[in-house]
Amino acid sequence: MPLLDNEKGSLSIVGIGPGSRDQMTVRALKVLAGAEIIIGNDTYLEQLKPLLIGKQVIRSSMGKEVERAQVAIKLANTHNVAIVSGGDAGVYGMASIVLEVLERSDIDIPIQVIPGITAANAAASRVGSPLSGDFAVISLSDLLTPIEIIEKRLEAIFSIGIPVVLYNPKSRGRPHNFSKAMTIARKYLSNATPIALVKNAYREDEKIMITTLGEIERYDNSIDMHTTVIIGGIETRTWRKGTDVKGIITPRGYHQKYVY
Ligand code: SAH
């Protein structure tokens, strides 16, 4: 997919990062500056407020993604349209549904996907380096994926001992999926396994907690739909200075080859 340069009638699906504007890419900022119409849900548009001056803004609500994709494609026939998505648009975001709707239509417009910092990277960066090598990402939302399939995937990824990032760990509609996931994790990982809970990463009300698999139940009430959870793998350890917990490190293996 080529990068678009202000052609008449185009669609950009823009990942706007986890929260604060300085976590957006320069490319994302440029594309939004060049857009005539910006479409997104309220939370994301709020985040972009100063960038919306002079633009036509179309607000959509959560759960209306298909409709939003259809509107964006239709308008992109004649205008430069940007549809915004939190974090990375291709990770549990708007990119796939927009491309699917376009694939099924007979509309042919230039389209591009602009990457953004996804929650896994944002959360990891706030606690050190827990995702230094292989890791897995899984969403506990059963809105589009049946819970039986999510459980099967959790079994598979926890069984191989790599760090696991949980998106959508909890919401009012599914309060128990997180504890189900922890029950599966305990089958394969020790109680000492470090866990990071990062709520609202790079937003005003950011909250960071570091605990262990053995203690995680005590944090149950702190976990919500704005939280990303990182469960360490078998090599992951807590980084301490005296009694202070400084963060989480998953070593890449340099210590086996070098003295430092
Ligand atoms: N496309 C987004 C993910 C959307 S799924 C991305 O790439 O980041 C929504 C989930 O992402 C939330 O339930 C939460 O688990 C996670 N998330 C998104 N933004 C976050 C943030 N700023 N801090 C912590 N978690 C976040």
Side-chain angles (χ1 to χ4, degrees):
M1 264 183 232
L3 294 179
L4 308 178
D5 236 349
N6 258 347
E7 290 171 51
K8 202 67 197 145
S10 69
L11 181 55
S12 302
I13 313 167
V14 185
I16 58 168
S20 68
R21 224 166 322 130
D22 60 1
Q23 299 295 333
M24 287 175 70
T25 67
V26 174
R27 180 76 193 160
L29 289 166
K30 276 188 187 163
V31 168
L32 292 182
E36 301 166 83
I37 303 176
I38 299 185
I39 305 180
N41 79 24
D42 267 337
T43 321
Y44 302 142
L45 293 174
E46 189 57 32
Q47 189 178 317
L48 300 173
K49 222 172 183 175
L51 307 174
L52 304 178
I53 298 162
K55 317 261 178 209
Q56 185 183 339
V57 176
I58 300 177
R59 294 169 189 279
S60 177
S61 49
M62 243 167 84
K64 295 261 185 296
E65 290 81 8
V66 176
E67 204 176 279
R68 200 183 311 161
Q70 287 164 335
V71 169
I73 289 168
K74 199 161 168 234
L75 290 169
N77 263 317
T78 46
H79 294 83
N80 285 319
V81 177
I83 183 161
V84 296
S85 192
D88 184 273
V91 181
Y92 312 114
M94 284 301 296
S96 60
I97 184 59
V98 173
L99 297 180
E100 279 186 279
V101 171
L102 187 62
E103 188 187 34
R104 282 166 171 73
S105 78
D106 48 13
I107 296 172
D108 191 18
I109 43 166
I111 186 160
Q112 62 180 349
V113 181
I114 308 295
I117 297 175
T118 190
N121 299 135
S125 73
R126 301 303 282 136
V127 294
S129 187
L131 308 177
S132 326
D134 301 331
F135 66 94
V137 167
I138 189 155
S139 165
L140 297 189
S141 170
D142 51 15
L143 288 176
L144 299 172
T145 308
I147 186 67
E148 298 74 32
I149 291 182
I150 296 173
E151 283 174 345
K152 221 166 152 184
R153 291 176 183 172
L154 287 167
E155 283 281 350
I157 58 178
F158 281 124
S159 75
I160 57 174
I162 59 175
V164 174
V165 184
L166 300 179
Y167 282 56
N168 298 296
K170 233 191 205 180
S171 77
R172 255 165 283 147
R174 51 191 144 76
H176 306 302
N177 291 5
F178 182 71
S179 56
K180 281 185 190 165
M182 292 304 95
T183 305
I184 298 170
R186 270 187 218 103
K187 286 166 66 176
Y188 303 100
L189 298 167
S190 80
N191 275 343
T193 305
I195 295 188
L197 308 172
V198 182
K199 196 164 169 170
N200 288 315
Y202 295 102
R203 294 178 189 148
E204 248 169 37
D205 38 0
E206 180 186 77
K207 213 169 163 199
I208 298 163
M209 293 155 271
I210 294 179
T211 181
T212 59
L213 189 54
E215 300 281 311
I216 188 67
E217 263 158 34
R218 289 174 41 195
Y219 291 80
D220 204 60
N221 286 335
S222 311
I223 298 165
D224 62 13
M225 62 186 290
H226 305 292
T227 311
T228 292
V229 183
I230 301 176
I231 299 116
I234 44 180
E235 287 154 338
T236 307
R237 56 187 164 74
T238 309
W239 160 37
R240 286 173 199 277
K241 266 264 183 305
T243 52
D244 276 0
V245 173
K246 304 287 277 183
I248 297 177
I249 301 175
T250 302
R252 287 185 61 200
Y254 286 108
H255 60 286
Q256 292 154 16
K257 278 190 108 170
Y258 301 96
V259 178
Y260 52 90

